Amino acid sequence: MESVKTIENGEKAPNTFSAAEYDRRARLLRAEMAERGISAALFTSVHNINYYGDFLYCAFGRNYGLVLDENKLTTVSANIDGGQPWRRTAGENIVYTDWRRGNFFRALEKLLPQSGIIGAEFDHLNLQTMKELRALRPKCEFADIAEPAMRLRMIKSAEEIAHIKQGAQVCDIGGAALREAVCEGAPEYEVALASTRAMTREIAKRFPDSELMDTWTWFQSGINTDGAHNPVTSRRVQKGDILSLNCFSMIVGYYTALERTMFFANADDASLKYWRANVKAHEAGLRLIRPGARCCDIAKELNALFEEEGILRRRTFGYGHSFGVLCHYYGRESGLELREDVETVLRPNMVVSMEPMILIPEGEPGAGGYREHDILVVTETGAENITAFPFGPEHNIIPAN
């Protein structure tokens, strides 16, 4: 039984971006590799394999890889996936089988150099895989490629920005569907399903050649709004509830989001006070997104605003993050987060969110989590807000039927 093979089944699928775009990404990475003396880069993460190869894998306990050297790009996939990785990869593909343990590394043996420096993702490889790689290439030195690759991904191309803008529009459609589904007694999961269905159908219409996966919605109500990533439950919407809308369209691994505070039927005075204070911070943050601004300085300015309102201690996380190839279970461009410990300077073609959140604990007047979220593309002179869904009490108190 063979350990490594090719499965060129059917015809190649249209790639998400142009051939010139994938060439651009590879060219920039090769220049970075040459500067560091790296002869081949091995990527193992979902986000980088998708970014460079246009293949979005489902691990399910198996290893996946992408090797880029001076001449070619090759994804390494498991036999269970058949010809799908080859059809999707913007490059070559080889397959390893399950018949012998360690066949993933036998596939890599065909692709990695015998000596020199190999780039690897130190923030993704586990100890076991790293041990196997060192045994496979004892004469090689391994260097981190994750940080340089992240820095390259932070600057989006024109094609990427156009793609992300479509994702933001899909989120707005999901938000409208969610709003329509909210009614007294509706369980959170039913409201979320309405949004996810609307987004998935819109993605299928806009991107008929794409794979449809991972689009989702978190809709939280009442106490469940206290966490930004709380999953949906069977809790039913009641009059006076604080609501949190979270729509996430995923278009071939590219994440976009829409998040809004809402109330059903009415909002009391204490809730309105906190809501308006968070909206004030959100609007201030939108004005701060511009080229030349440092992430840490934006965070500090918004901290000062929250401190003036007397609610700085109610803040729950950073004020925003980068967008691109990422999801709730893979990827993160940590060098582009609006936090006090990130000194990155914003540059044109970076794409970031502004999303302040405060939490008022249960039992206090105005209890709940308040969060607004817009996506901005940094331009030469400022920033373009690509989120159209309105925010604030004037727009998002949903009337009871």
Side-chain angles (χ1 to χ4, degrees):
M1 301 289 282
E2 55 197 339
S3 298
V4 180
K5 60 182 180 178
T6 59
I7 306 178
E8 297 182 359
N9 191 36
E11 297 182 357
K12 282 276 194 177
N15 286 122
T16 305
F17 300 103
S18 69
E21 170 66 9
Y22 290 106
D23 287 345
R24 180 194 70 86
R25 297 177 185 188
R27 184 177 67 255
L28 291 175
L29 181 63
R30 286 182 175 119
E32 191 76 29
M33 290 163 58
E35 189 174 317
R36 298 165 185 266
I38 296 172
S39 54
L42 167 64
F43 291 104
T44 51
S45 68
V46 173
H47 45 283
N48 274 320
I49 291 175
N50 187 45
Y51 183 78
Y52 288 105
D54 202 26
F55 166 50
L56 198 62
Y57 73 74
C58 174
F60 224 101
R62 292 173 169 84
N63 295 102
Y64 287 79
L66 181 151
V67 175
L68 184 142
D69 59 22
E70 294 179 358
N71 302 310
K72 65 180 181 179
L73 177 155
T74 308
T75 56
V76 180
S77 59
N79 196 36
I80 193 171
D81 297 317
Q84 182 258 0
W86 172 78
R87 291 193 296 272
R88 290 287 167 182
T89 296
E92 300 179 17
N93 169 258
I94 62 173
V95 175
Y96 71 93
T97 66
D98 283 351
W99 320 135
R100 290 175 64 196
R101 188 174 297 279
N103 279 350
F104 172 70
F105 299 98
R106 293 183 180 91
L108 291 181
E109 182 143 25
K110 297 178 177 295
L111 302 173
L112 295 176
Q114 295 283 346
S115 61
I117 303 175
I118 297 173
E121 294 177 86
F122 284 11
D123 64 352
H124 186 265
L125 287 177
N126 58 39
L127 291 173
Q128 180 180 351
T129 304
M130 193 73 241
K131 180 181 177 181
E132 295 278 3
L133 286 173
R134 293 188 188 282
L136 182 71
R137 289 292 183 263
K139 296 180 181 180
C140 288
E141 178 185 342
F142 288 87
D144 183 38
I145 198 69
E147 176 77 14
M150 177 193 69
R151 296 286 170 184
L152 292 174
R153 294 197 318 271
M154 281 162 40
I155 305 295
K156 312 305 180 192
S157 69
E159 287 190 37
E160 282 184 284
I161 290 171
H163 188 88
I164 291 167
K165 285 181 177 180
Q166 292 223 49
Q169 292 165 13
V170 171
C171 286
D172 287 338
I173 289 168
L178 185 150
R179 182 186 175 97
E180 288 297 315
V182 173
C183 61
E184 188 169 11
E188 290 178 355
Y189 68 86
E190 287 291 351
V191 176
L193 283 171
S195 169
T196 302
R197 281 196 302 269
M199 289 191 290
T200 301
R201 288 166 178 161
E202 185 65 20
I203 294 169
K205 183 171 71 174
R206 293 180 182 223
F207 298 88
D209 294 319
S210 73
E211 296 173 330
L212 301 170
M213 58 187 294
D214 297 335
T215 292
W216 87 105
T217 302
W218 282 323
F219 172 68
Q220 302 134 353
S221 63
I223 193 172
N224 294 334
T225 63
D226 66 347
H229 300 155
N230 291 353
V232 298
T233 72
S234 297
R235 186 185 184 279
R236 295 179 181 273
V237 174
Q238 305 166 32
K239 288 180 179 177
D241 269 350
I242 183 172
L243 310 173
S244 188
L245 172 158
N246 306 269
C247 301
F248 307 104
S249 72
M250 294 293 300
I251 306 174
V252 201
Y254 273 75
Y255 164 102
T256 46
L258 166 67
E259 301 172 14
R260 289 288 183 260
T261 299
M262 293 178 158
F263 275 78
F264 180 59
N266 60 80
D268 60 31
D269 289 343
S271 299
L272 287 170
K273 177 184 175 182
Y274 287 122
W275 193 359
R276 288 185 173 124
N278 199 58
V279 164
K280 181 180 178 182
H282 182 61
E283 292 174 331
L286 294 175
R287 293 190 294 270
L288 293 172
I289 304 295
R290 61 185 185 273
R294 292 197 308 169
C295 294
C296 55
D297 294 335
I298 293 171
K300 289 171 185 175
E301 284 201 48
L302 294 179
N303 281 347
L305 189 153
F306 271 146
E307 192 166 24
E308 288 176 8
E309 298 287 336
I311 53 175
L312 178 58
R313 66 188 181 94
R314 307 294 198 179
R315 178 192 158 201
T316 64
F317 57 83
Y319 290 105
H321 59 79
S322 183
F323 280 81
V325 180
L326 60 106
C327 189
H328 58 312
Y329 57 82
Y330 65 81
R332 194 69 166 176
E333 293 169 5
S334 56
L336 192 49
E337 296 196 13
L338 305 182
R339 295 170 24 150
E340 296 86 344
D341 57 348
V342 177
E343 297 183 353
T344 302
V345 177
L346 295 185
R347 294 168 53 189
N349 289 5
M350 287 180 169
V351 182
V352 296
S353 62
M354 173 47 57
E355 50 177 313
M357 178 177 176
I358 56 173
L359 167 62
I360 310 304
E362 193 73 5
E364 294 188 21
Y370 299 79
R371 184 169 72 263
E372 312 296 342
H373 177 295
D374 286 23
I375 303 174
L376 297 99
V377 178
V378 182
T379 66
E380 295 290 340
T381 57
E384 177 188 1
N385 190 333
I386 62 174
T387 299
F389 201 94
F391 57 83
E394 295 74 23
H395 304 285
N396 289 327
I397 298 177
I398 301 174
N401 294 331

